[in-house]
Amino acid sequence: MPPRSDEPRRDATGSRRGSSRGAEPREPGIGGISDARAYTPRGRTIREGGAEQRRTPRSSRSGDPFRPALQVVDGGRAARAGRREPATAGESARAGRRTAGGRAGVVRTVSARPVHEPFDDEDDPPPRRRPGPRRPAARRPVRKPRRPPRLGDPRRRLRLATVLALTLFASIGVRLVYLQTADSPAYADGGLPNRVKVIELPAPRGAILDRDGEPLAHSVEARYVFADPTRVKDRNATASALSPLLGVPASELADKMQRRKQPGTTRDTEFVYLARGVEMGTAKQIVALDLAGIGVHRDERREVPGGDLAANMIGFVSQDMNGLEGLEAKYDDLLRGQPGKRTYEAGLGDLAAPIPGGFSSTTQPKPGSSLQLTVDRDLQFMTQRILAKQVAQAKGSVAAAVILDVPTGEVLAQASQPTYDAADPTKVNSPADRDDAATSFVVDPGSIHKAITFGAALQEGVITPNSTFPVPNTMVLGGVPFEDTHHADGRVMSIPGMLAFSSNIGTIEVAGKLGKDRLIDYQKRFGLGQPTGEGLPGEASGRLLPADEWSGSSYGSVPIGHSVDATPLQMAAAYNAIANNGTYVQPHLIKETIGPDGARTPSAAPATHSVLSPANAAALRRMLEAVTTVDGPDGRATGLAAAVPGYRVAGKTGTGLRYDNGKKQPGEVGSFIGMAPAEKPRYVVAVFVWSPDGEGGAVAAPAFREMMGFTLRHYRVPPSLTDKSPKFEVFPR
């Protein structure tokens, strides 16, 4: 190994490099801290070649505790490298260039600010080489220092967490808004059946009043008793406790309280009626029993103070207050009103009570309007009583009675027999017992139709009140024989005589002079062949025989009241036209309606039209008086039993037939229709009695007498003292 040179090494510029402390040579092979290169805290070297070293300011030095040791080690390398001598001049030059060119740990000063280059990591000095040609040392690759791992930025984490939280809350908020707006109706409706209760508030049904405002039918507050079978603990014991109070057999109540499924569902029935229209006192007793699953609630009960008073005309209602027959059915919409309801949120189970502050809505019920009829309650009562008494003599009979106010056409009474109790309409022998006979009882009117024939003949001038002509005992038309019960034997008869003896032959001869077309025309004018429009549902229209359907016998049957279908009310209205100076007035029952607020609305004025002139109507009335007055050597009139003492009465008896569904029924229909006082009629009374044994004729006239007498006295009509009935000649000479 060549000896080390003690001379200071030179850099590439030829400048001598030595110790930073002085120029004294150092001992060969020994390197100290003074020969090591000093580092700044940032790893920068102090410029070499100067007399003094530059030091980095203390404020910029690194606080690394291992920095001085690294400087010592690196300085040792530099000292050892500085003592080497190149073997040749080329090596010396290359060595100088390496020294100046920047071996590991050397700073090349390019600018005022030195740039630190990485130094060699190798700690031990390179091994010594033997003398000989030296190869240039291979440049080792420069390694970049490993950077320490970057720590997480807390501000970045905070921002990320904030964004995630806001996103979560925003998603929840959007979902809540969607549920509250778009989906809220569906979810709300889904829960309604569980928490919303609806209670119907029944509207009080309007009353039916008589002409003086007295109730014929009205509603009163009551209670209904119900059961929840799912909550009834012992249905047999419960039924036994309720039976004496409700008047219902315990077995029937127990059967109602048995658990059942609702139709079409799997849920148990939670409501069943036990009784309707229970009186308030009875309901209080049931509440006091405190039976599990049994409750009471507001209800309505229809009361009919008169029982059967005008029952066939008024009709009745169901337990739900729906009209089923009569006026109750015809004017159901007006009487029923509009029910209200209460809707509220309630708890479940034992807390099934309104939720405080929960949803609650109440629609108040609107009571129904009331009907005020033209019927007089007292007169109706007496009419029914008289009719029932007279009809009792003819078993199995059907009867009807109508009383009309002449100038107005108002129905003052309208009775039927049999009748029923409207408060308990199920207790009847037959549903037909509930029919209103005055409007549904269709008959061949018989001889009472003769007044229409004679009235048409007077109006058309075919006859006069003084007309007379011979009347034979019999007549054959179309192969059918017609005869009189009072034989005239071909003698000349007066028109009043024909009416008094109810001559069929005389009437047929008058109709022959009139003609069928004119007779049919007057039948229509008197109101036959069409409903009167009185106000009751199901009113029969009757039937007239069209002219093209007349046979040979029709010329004899139609004038005397056969081959004609009519109701008692139609015939009463026809006689009312005679009593009203020839003007037909539509009979009607409804006087006015009374709203819930008390406002009164009169019914429409009845339809009227002229049938006879006042003179002809008066002449016909005078001739009809013969029916109740003629009683002499020539015979007795057919209507003497209908005479009312103290009053002039004009009327006509009749014997007709009854048809049911087009089939003739056995027996006869006896009738009498009359008016009083005859000089100026105030009232018309019609009585019809059908009896399978033919006893109606003996009943109708006496019933008329009693009804008309009571009516005249009830309305205080003065007796006919100054204007007595005229004297009639049946067979003038």
Side-chain angles (χ1 to χ4, degrees):
M1 180 179 295
R4 295 182 181 178
S5 175
D6 294 331
E7 295 178 0
R9 299 177 61 183
R10 300 178 183 271
D11 57 16
T13 60
S15 301
R16 295 179 62 182
R17 298 178 61 185
S19 174
S20 61
R21 287 286 184 181
E24 293 183 1
R26 297 162 60 180
E27 193 173 352
I30 300 175
I33 294 178
S34 62
D35 290 332
R37 286 185 295 175
Y39 283 160
T40 65
R42 296 187 179 181
R44 297 175 182 172
T45 62
I46 301 173
R47 186 187 297 263
E48 299 180 8
E52 280 184 80
Q53 295 180 344
R54 296 182 181 177
R55 297 183 180 272
T56 303
R58 184 177 300 272
S59 61
S60 62
R61 295 178 184 174
S62 173
D64 188 353
F66 298 100
R67 178 65 65 182
L70 292 175
Q71 290 175 351
V72 171
V73 173
D74 194 72
R77 290 181 192 166
R80 286 193 297 271
R83 286 194 293 268
R84 293 176 186 166
E85 290 183 359
T88 63
E91 284 183 341
S92 178
R94 284 192 298 273
R97 284 194 298 271
R98 284 196 300 271
T99 303
R103 283 191 54 175
V106 180
V107 176
R108 286 180 293 180
T109 304
V110 179
S111 63
R113 183 176 182 180
V115 179
H116 171 258
E117 293 183 0
F119 56 82
D120 198 339
D121 292 334
E122 189 176 337
D123 296 335
D124 297 335
R128 294 183 180 180
R129 299 184 181 223
R130 294 183 179 180
R134 307 184 70 174
R135 295 180 182 178
R139 182 182 292 272
R140 297 181 180 177
V142 179
R143 297 180 180 178
K144 294 183 179 180
R146 295 181 180 177
R147 296 182 179 179
R150 298 183 64 180
L151 300 177
D153 189 351
R155 291 175 297 178
R156 185 178 181 184
R157 290 198 303 270
L158 180 60
R159 287 194 295 268
L160 180 60
T162 302
V163 171
L164 291 176
L166 292 177
T167 303
L168 177 63
F169 283 114
S171 301
I172 295 174
V174 171
R175 181 59 178 166
L176 287 175
V177 171
Y178 184 78
L179 291 176
Q180 293 284 342
T181 56
D183 286 352
S184 60
Y187 285 102
D189 292 343
L192 281 178
N194 295 328
R195 71 176 188 277
V196 174
K197 304 293 183 181
V198 179
I199 297 178
E200 182 174 309
L201 304 177
R205 188 175 179 86
I208 298 179
L209 311 173
D210 81 334
R211 66 184 299 110
D212 297 322
E214 298 296 333
L216 298 174
H218 64 106
S219 296
V220 296
E221 185 177 356
R223 294 290 184 268
Y224 65 77
V225 182
F226 67 94
D228 182 353
T230 63
R231 299 177 59 194
V232 174
K233 295 180 180 179
D234 188 342
R235 61 189 181 94
N236 292 321
T238 303
S240 298
L242 292 175
S243 178
L245 295 174
L246 299 179
V248 180
S251 59
E252 182 179 341
L253 294 175
D255 181 66
K256 289 182 178 181
M257 288 185 281
Q258 187 174 4
R259 288 198 175 193
R260 294 180 177 87
K261 300 294 183 183
Q262 295 181 5
T265 67
T266 59
R267 298 178 57 185
D268 289 333
T269 299
E270 298 179 356
F271 180 91
V272 61
Y273 283 114
L274 298 182
R276 300 292 303 272
V278 177
E279 294 183 355
M280 302 289 289
T282 303
K284 290 180 180 179
Q285 296 179 33
I286 294 174
V287 172
L289 294 177
D290 195 20
L291 299 172
I294 303 300
V296 299
H297 201 271
R298 188 185 184 281
D299 198 10
E300 188 177 0
R301 185 178 73 252
R302 198 68 166 170
E303 283 194 350
V304 184
D308 64 350
L309 184 66
N312 301 70
M313 182 170 51
I314 293 172
F316 59 93
V317 299
S318 67
Q319 289 185 336
D320 294 325
M321 294 291 116
N322 295 321
L324 298 181
E325 288 187 12
L327 295 175
E328 295 276 21
K330 177 68 177 293
Y331 297 95
D332 184 59
D333 292 341
L334 184 143
L335 293 167
R336 184 172 52 192
Q338 299 177 2
K341 66 178 180 179
R342 183 188 176 201
T343 306
Y344 62 93
E345 288 183 283
L348 301 176
D350 295 335
L351 300 177
I355 299 175
F359 172 78
S360 178
S361 176
T362 301
T363 301
Q364 295 297 333
K366 183 180 179 180
S369 298
S370 297
L371 283 178
Q372 186 167 14
L373 307 183
T374 60
V375 173
D376 186 321
R377 186 179 63 167
D378 294 337
L379 184 59
Q380 177 74 26
F381 173 78
M382 286 303 299
T383 302
Q384 287 186 212
R385 183 178 178 181
I386 294 169
L387 188 64
K389 182 184 69 173
Q390 294 293 336
V391 167
Q393 303 175 25
K395 296 181 180 180
S397 60
V398 177
V402 179
I403 301 179
L404 299 178
D405 182 74
V406 171
T408 64
E410 294 178 346
V411 178
L412 300 177
Q414 186 166 301
S416 299
Q417 189 65 33
T419 186
Y420 69 101
D421 185 356
D424 192 2
T426 59
K427 292 183 178 180
V428 292
N429 296 325
S430 169
D433 293 349
R434 299 194 296 258
D435 293 343
D436 179 71
T439 57
S440 62
F441 189 38
V442 179
V443 300
D444 272 6
S447 294
I448 56 175
H449 183 274
K450 293 175 181 177
I452 295 176
T453 302
F454 282 97
L458 283 173
Q459 186 68 22
E460 293 297 318
V462 173
I463 61 172
T464 67
N466 300 320
S467 296
T468 60
F469 50 87
V471 177
N473 292 336
T474 61
M475 180 182 292
V476 178
L477 296 173
V480 178
F482 296 89
E483 62 181 3
D484 284 340
T485 56
H486 293 75
H487 297 291
D489 297 328
R491 289 182 293 175
V492 175
M493 288 188 74
S494 65
I495 300 298
M498 296 178 190
L499 288 171
F501 290 169
S502 192
S503 173
N504 292 331
I505 305 303
T507 305
I508 292 172
E509 289 185 353
V510 170
K513 298 177 181 179
L514 181 64
K516 65 177 181 180
D517 292 330
R518 287 192 290 184
L519 178 59
I520 293 174
D521 179 53
Y522 275 89
Q523 285 178 325
K524 293 178 180 178
R525 291 188 187 185
F526 275 103
L528 303 186
Q530 57 188 352
T532 64
E534 176 200 33
L536 281 175
E539 181 184 0
S541 61
R543 182 179 182 271
L544 298 177
L545 187 65
D548 57 356
E549 295 182 14
W550 280 42
S551 63
S553 63
S554 298
Y555 288 91
S557 62
V558 173
I560 62 176
H562 298 290
S563 300
V564 178
D565 293 335
T567 65
L569 180 63
Q570 286 176 324
M571 295 306 301
Y575 272 73
N576 194 77
I578 299 172
N580 194 35
N581 292 323
T583 300
Y584 179 90
V585 182
Q586 178 189 13
H588 54 282
L589 273 171
I590 310 302
K591 185 176 183 180
E592 61 184 5
T593 59
I594 305 173
D597 56 353
R600 295 177 177 266
T601 304
S603 60
T608 61
H609 61 269
S610 177
V611 180
L612 304 174
S613 66
N616 287 327
L620 183 57
R621 288 198 302 269
R622 192 161 40 252
M623 290 188 293
L624 288 172
E625 286 188 71
V627 177
T628 61
T629 59
V630 172
D631 185 12
D634 296 328
R636 303 185 66 193
T638 59
L640 290 178
V644 179
Y647 296 90
R648 293 172 56 183
V649 177
K652 185 71 183 75
T653 57
T655 303
L657 302 174
R658 181 189 179 191
Y659 289 87
D660 188 8
N661 295 324
K663 295 182 179 181
K664 180 182 177 181
Q665 301 299 307
E668 296 177 342
V669 179
S671 58
F672 189 93
I673 305 179
M675 59 201 74
E679 66 275 15
K680 189 178 181 181
R682 293 280 304 276
Y683 308 103
V684 168
V685 177
V687 180
F688 286 71
V689 181
W690 169 80
S691 171
D693 296 332
E695 300 172 346
V699 172
F704 167 87
R705 182 181 66 244
E706 290 190 49
M707 292 178 190
M708 179 61 82
F710 179 83
T711 302
L712 294 171
R713 292 189 300 270
H714 178 66
Y715 291 109
R716 300 179 181 180
V717 178
S720 302
L721 298 178
T722 58
D723 215 354
K724 296 184 179 181
S725 298
K727 298 295 181 179
F728 298 100
E729 253 184 293
V730 177
F731 300 106
R733 295 177 173 82

